[in-house]
């Protein structure tokens, strides 16, 4: 959600507790440094680095 304003996650679940958990994820706010660190880790994992 922190990448582009037009990118929206579409979570799917069959369990109420997972739906609540997914909804609470919207309360998580990452800093630019945290997002950059995640991007670096994902790039390394996917072989882009």
């Amino acid at each position: 959600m922190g990448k582009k304003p037009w990118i929206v996650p579409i979570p799917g679940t069959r369990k109420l507790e997972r739906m609540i958990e997914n909804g609470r994820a919207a309360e998580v706010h990452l800093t630019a440094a945290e997002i950059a660190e995640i991007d670096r880790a994902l790039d390394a994992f996917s072989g882009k680095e």
Side-chain angles (χ1 to χ4, degrees):
M1 289 177 61
K3 295 289 185 178
K4 307 284 183 199
W6 60 86
I7 297 175
V8 179
I10 304 173
T13 185
R14 295 175 189 253
K15 297 187 177 197
L16 177 60
E17 63 263 21
R18 295 293 173 244
M19 184 178 71
I20 293 168
E21 190 176 64
N22 288 341
R24 287 187 180 143
E27 299 170 7
V28 175
H29 299 281
L30 300 174
T31 65
E34 291 168 326
I35 292 170
E37 184 177 342
I38 291 168
D39 286 343
R40 280 192 298 275
L42 289 173
D43 286 347
F45 180 75
S46 66
K48 290 183 180 179
E49 254 184 28

